[in-house]
């Protein structure tokens, strides 16, 4: 039975009858998926991405054809990650046998599926028994501290991003955009952070599609900080891709003395349903605090990400000024773009913002 979590009233600013229907003059559209109520950006009637604003349960996950009947088997958990779980959940019986099902928690506020230009599914959600908390493209931190206590927005423990019903959508000939407000709720009781996520997807051109992602976070209470796992590994903008054939992950950052300091990462391969290589490039914006974020990749998990904040630090969220993080995702046909193309893509992104 599905459980009710923090109670909110969901009143979308705009409501559509069906997903991915458009007038000829409106190429890029935002619609509500009639099956699950989530927001879908489409180009000329074909889905580009789904933004899961409302809670997604395991039975609701959109899966590729080969995974639709897959039954997840949860694995035993031990070591430092279990220790962290116990710290975040002091009421849990430590004598019981813990499995990764502790992270199989309903979630919201993330992108999945993200589709390639030929309709192939590029991202993965609730992917396996070891990492059920992984969820497409999501922005979350393993260490969220509120005063002297710690929670885990990344692995869905104690603090959760919950929708408040404030969603604004834009349709157009060149791009479609979703702007959604969420609150980080501590133990389903207290709102500690106000967050706005803006997702803008452009019309595909020259074998590429640009998707801009802007995250704004402002503390509602004092003494809130975010950090990567153990302050030295993963967290920030998290990207869990579907596992393709011939997977290739690469990333690059200029030296600190370069001017400008450019950085990017690329993930590509032959995804299920695709006949040729495709992938996605991630660009960091130079105005992000502590730019450039350190790149982290986990090839066995089909994962690459720009981390935030700087290793061995915790970043305080302010009540007076929002933290703004910007990233550009470039969905492309073919393998990793040539370096001259990547330089051009990075330069254009910086000039536009």
């Amino acid at each position: 039975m599905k459980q009710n979590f923090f109670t909110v009233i969901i009143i979308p600013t705009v409501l559509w009858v069906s997903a991915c229907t458009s007038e000829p003059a409106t190429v890029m559209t935002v619609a509500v998926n009639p099956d699950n109520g989530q927001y879908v950006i489409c180009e000329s009637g074909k889905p580009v991405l789904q933004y899961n604003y409302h809670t997604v349960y395991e039975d609701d996950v959109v899966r590729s054809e080969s995974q639709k009947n897959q039954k997840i088997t949860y694995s035993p958990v031990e070591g430092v990650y279990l220790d962290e779980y116990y710290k975040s959940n002091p009421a849990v019986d430590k004598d019981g046998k813990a499995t990764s099902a502790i992270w199989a928690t309903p979630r919201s506020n993330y992108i999945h599926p993200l589709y390639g230009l030929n309709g192939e599914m590029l991202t993965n959600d609730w992917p396996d028994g070891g990492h059920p908390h992984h969820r497409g493209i999501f922005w979350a931190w393993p260490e969220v501290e509120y005063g002297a206590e710690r929670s885990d927005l990344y692995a869905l423990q104690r603090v959760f991003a919950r929708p408040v019903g404030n969603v604004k959508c834009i349709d157009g000939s060149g791009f479609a955009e979703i702007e959604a407000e969420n609150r980080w709720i501590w133990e389903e009781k207290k709102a500690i952070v106000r967050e706005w996520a803006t997702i803008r997807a452009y019309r595909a051109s020259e074998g590429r599609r640009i998707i801009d992602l802007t995250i704004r976070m402002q503390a509602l209470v004092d003494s809130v900080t975010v950090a990567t796992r153990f302050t030295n590994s993963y967290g920030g903008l998290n990207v869990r891709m579907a596992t393709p054939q011939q997977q290739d992950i690469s990333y690059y950052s200029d030296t600190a003395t370069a001017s400008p300091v450019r950085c990017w990462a690329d993930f590509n391969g032959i995804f299920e349903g695709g006949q040729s290589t495709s992938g996605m490039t991630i660009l960091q914006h130079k105005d992000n605090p502590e730019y450039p974020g350190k790149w982290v990749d986990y090839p066995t998990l089909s994962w690459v990400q720009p981390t935030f904040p700087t290793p061995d630090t915790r970043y305080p969220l302010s009540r007076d000024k929002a933290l703004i993080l910007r990233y550009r995702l470039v969905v492309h046909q073919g393998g990793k773009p040539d370096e001259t193309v990547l330089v051009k893509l990075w330069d254009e992104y910086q000039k536009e913002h």
Side-chain angles (χ1 to χ4, degrees):
M1 180 179 295
K2 298 180 180 179
Q3 297 177 332
N4 293 322
F5 292 91
F6 184 82
T7 302
V8 293
I9 300 175
I10 307 300
I11 308 176
T13 304
V14 185
L15 182 64
W16 295 264
V17 176
S18 62
C20 290
T21 59
S22 63
E23 297 296 328
T26 307
V27 176
M28 302 298 298
T29 59
V30 186
V32 168
N33 186 326
D35 295 328
N36 55 28
Q38 309 292 5
Y39 290 81
V40 182
I41 292 180
C42 306
E43 178 177 352
S44 300
K46 296 181 179 180
V48 171
L49 63 85
Q50 179 170 292
Y51 170 58
N52 297 299
Y53 186 53
H54 306 295
T55 301
V56 176
Y57 298 83
E58 184 177 356
D59 292 343
D60 304 328
V61 172
V62 180
R63 300 190 184 279
S64 63
E65 286 298 320
S66 66
Q67 294 180 320
K68 282 186 176 179
N69 297 317
Q70 175 181 306
K71 181 176 177 57
I72 293 178
T73 302
Y74 297 106
S75 55
V77 178
E78 57 185 13
V80 291
Y81 296 102
L82 182 58
D83 293 341
E84 283 291 293
Y85 171 74
Y86 285 142
K87 288 178 184 177
S88 298
N89 297 270
V92 171
D93 179 10
K94 297 181 176 61
D95 295 328
K97 185 66 173 178
T99 71
S100 54
I102 59 180
W103 298 307
T105 305
R107 70 292 304 272
S108 60
N109 192 33
Y110 65 102
I111 296 170
H112 173 79
L114 171 68
Y115 294 97
L117 298 186
N118 295 321
E120 64 273 41
M121 191 179 297
L122 301 181
T123 51
N124 207 342
D125 188 9
W126 219 302
D128 54 53
H131 304 83
H133 50 291
H134 289 183
R135 48 198 186 274
I137 298 171
F138 64 107
W139 37 99
W141 286 264
E143 298 191 9
V144 178
E145 292 193 348
Y146 171 34
E149 297 188 63
R150 181 180 298 172
S151 61
D152 191 339
L153 188 66
Y154 170 93
L156 305 163
Q157 305 296 320
R158 295 189 81 185
V159 65
F160 299 87
R162 299 298 191 202
V164 298
N166 184 14
V167 182
K168 299 177 182 178
C169 301
I170 297 174
D171 295 344
S173 60
F175 67 85
E177 181 177 284
I178 303 167
E179 182 181 277
E181 181 183 351
N182 294 273
R183 300 287 173 89
W184 296 8
I185 309 299
W186 187 274
E187 295 186 332
E188 306 294 2
K189 297 175 183 178
K190 187 176 183 63
I192 63 169
V193 173
R194 186 182 185 190
E195 178 207 290
W196 298 263
T198 303
I199 304 164
R200 176 181 287 190
Y202 290 86
R203 186 175 182 176
S205 176
E206 299 179 342
R208 292 189 289 271
R209 180 193 309 288
I210 288 172
I211 300 170
D212 285 339
L213 179 61
T214 302
I215 309 300
R216 294 185 293 149
M217 294 157 285
Q218 192 160 354
L220 297 172
V221 295
D222 293 328
S223 302
V224 177
T225 65
V226 296
T228 59
R229 178 75 70 199
F230 310 123
T231 75
N232 63 6
S233 53
Y234 55 86
L237 178 66
N238 308 282
V239 180
R240 178 67 193 254
M241 302 290 280
T243 300
Q245 298 179 36
Q246 302 176 27
Q247 174 178 287
D248 178 62
I249 300 175
S250 61
Y251 48 89
Y252 169 83
S253 291
D254 274 325
T255 62
T257 57
S259 182
V261 177
R262 298 183 177 95
C263 67
W264 55 71
D266 190 77
F267 185 107
N268 66 80
I270 302 175
F271 292 85
E272 182 176 335
Q275 301 301 315
S276 58
T277 303
S278 61
M280 184 178 74
T281 299
I282 305 170
L283 307 176
Q284 302 183 42
H285 197 281
K286 64 179 178 57
D287 291 340
N288 287 349
E290 304 179 5
Y291 173 88
K294 180 182 178 182
W295 293 108
V296 168
D297 69 312
Y298 299 95
T300 59
L301 301 179
S302 301
W303 179 287
V304 63
Q305 71 171 139
T307 59
F308 176 86
T310 301
D312 303 317
T313 69
R314 300 186 188 278
Y315 194 92
L317 299 185
S318 170
R319 300 181 68 171
D320 301 319
K321 183 180 179 180
L323 164 65
I324 302 176
L325 297 175
R326 295 186 178 94
Y327 304 94
R328 171 164 284 184
L329 311 177
V330 184
V331 176
H332 58 76
Q333 295 175 330
K336 177 183 176 181
D338 292 338
E339 184 172 343
T340 54
V341 173
L342 292 168
V343 168
K344 181 181 178 182
L345 289 170
W346 188 91
D347 289 349
E348 288 176 346
Y349 180 37
Q350 314 309 314
K351 291 177 182 178
E352 293 175 16
H353 294 268

